[in-house]
Amino acid sequence: MAEISTIARPYAKGLFQALEDRHASIEECKAVLKTLENISTVIKTPEFSQLFGDPRLLPSQMIDLIKSALAGEEIQKEVSNLLTVVLDNGRIEAWSEIVNDFRTLINDAEGIAEVHIETAFGMTDDEVQSLLKALAHRFPNKKLVSDVTVNPELIGGVRIRVGDQVLDGSISARLEAMSDLLKKRIEDLGVSADLRTQGTVISVTDGIVRIHGLFDVMQGEMLEFPGNTYGLAMNLERDSVGAVILGEYTHISEGDTVRTTGRIL
């Protein structure tokens, strides 16, 4: 079966195109988004979930039931048409993803990118802003708007999603990679202590650095760079470590020394 995101995207684009064709304003698009979200709330209730797939109910009857549950709220023509097509095609399970994709299209039109941050522990406002500043180099001409969710299952580190792009620095997502890294460390027991706690910058690109060394670094650990600058260890690989600089990075260059701090974000 196709991925839900693949199924949902054409529906969201079709709805957005229909609104553009009638020169709908951004505010009108946001009103449509609100209606989509309200419908999503209704169809997620246990009562409605049991109705989907019932061959005795026609799509038109389902729409009438949904309208009734919305207590007389106006449903825009484009939304009604979308709902009919989705029900006719048996794709109601993709509705939530359609809503998400439509929201992204509105944000794109406004030059906004939503940054969804999952973290094992709470983050301060300063830490969130530093992370957004680091990400700004990867999303030029975009206003980054964040939401933070605490997810203890990540164990440590953060998982960041911006649109279709995911930067997964969580410990839970890297356990297998860490297993390989631990094997490598066992093989390298003869490496000096200095190489275990400090490393050398080998590349810098848009606030993302790669570091050789740091054999004892932990996922999500804060790293100390020159100039009282800090970064976050994200990708632990066999021969290098990838990190995001939290703040200004233009003074950091290849050959700079990086040190571990022992602090896990």
Side-chain angles (χ1 to χ4, degrees):
M1 181 177 178
E3 293 287 342
I4 291 296
S5 59
T6 303
I7 295 170
R9 193 168 293 114
Y11 290 105
K13 287 184 176 180
L15 174 59
F16 195 77
Q17 185 63 56
L19 292 166
E20 281 192 327
D21 288 346
R22 70 170 176 87
H23 307 292
S25 67
I26 285 294
E27 293 307 315
E28 288 179 289
C29 291
K30 289 181 178 179
V32 167
L33 174 61
K34 182 63 177 176
T35 302
L36 297 176
E37 291 172 338
N38 290 341
I39 293 174
S40 184
T41 299
V42 169
I43 64 180
K44 285 179 181 178
T45 61
E47 295 81 4
F48 271 85
S49 296
Q50 294 175 1
L51 294 176
F52 296 123
D54 188 335
R56 296 172 296 178
L57 283 175
L58 299 174
S60 59
Q61 294 174 308
M62 287 296 304
I63 292 176
D64 289 340
L65 289 172
I66 291 172
K67 288 180 177 179
S68 176
L70 291 174
E73 177 183 334
E74 177 188 1
I75 296 182
Q76 298 86 347
K77 178 183 67 175
E78 292 87 358
V79 176
S80 182
N81 292 341
L82 172 67
L83 190 55
T84 299
V85 172
V86 170
L87 287 168
D88 281 342
N89 292 341
R91 296 300 194 183
I92 196 65
E93 78 281 357
W95 189 264
S96 292
E97 194 63 31
I98 293 171
V99 177
N100 290 335
D101 285 348
F102 185 74
R103 184 185 298 108
T104 298
L105 290 170
I106 292 177
N107 287 338
D108 288 344
E110 291 192 292
I112 294 173
E114 292 186 342
V115 182
H116 304 282
I117 304 171
E118 282 187 87
T119 174
F121 307 99
M123 297 177 67
T124 67
D125 290 341
D126 287 344
E127 289 171 335
V128 173
Q129 291 306 312
S130 293
L131 190 55
L132 291 180
K133 186 175 180 180
L135 290 171
H137 300 289
R138 303 187 66 175
F139 302 93
N141 304 319
K142 291 287 187 180
K143 178 183 178 182
L144 301 183
V145 178
S146 66
D147 66 77
V148 180
T149 303
V150 176
N151 181 2
E153 292 184 1
L154 296 184
I155 306 175
V158 295
R159 178 185 296 144
I160 302 167
R161 179 171 61 84
V162 184
D164 292 334
Q165 300 186 47
V166 178
L167 182 60
D168 197 339
S170 64
I171 289 180
S172 60
R174 296 292 177 174
L175 286 178
E176 184 175 350
M178 287 178 68
S179 176
D180 291 338
L181 185 63
L182 287 172
K183 292 177 183 177
K184 174 64 175 177
R185 288 178 176 172
I186 291 173
E187 296 171 0
D188 295 338
L189 284 176
V191 176
S192 68
D194 283 345
L195 285 178
R196 295 185 179 281
T197 58
Q198 70 181 39
T200 303
V201 174
I202 56 178
S203 69
V204 185
T205 306
D206 294 336
I208 308 298
V209 300
R210 300 216 65 77
I211 306 159
H212 174 69
L214 298 180
F215 295 114
D216 280 344
V217 70
M218 295 176 285
Q219 194 77 35
E221 183 174 354
M222 296 290 287
L223 303 176
E224 183 180 356
F225 291 80
N228 198 32
T229 301
Y230 291 87
L232 185 66
M234 301 292 285
N235 298 325
L236 306 184
E237 299 179 359
R238 183 178 296 274
D239 299 316
S240 64
V241 175
V244 174
I245 301 297
L246 302 180
E248 183 56 48
Y249 70 91
T250 54
H251 61 286
I252 296 173
S253 59
E254 295 179 11
D256 283 348
T257 298
V258 186
R259 291 180 172 83
T260 59
T261 66
R263 293 167 51 202
I264 303 296
L265 183 63

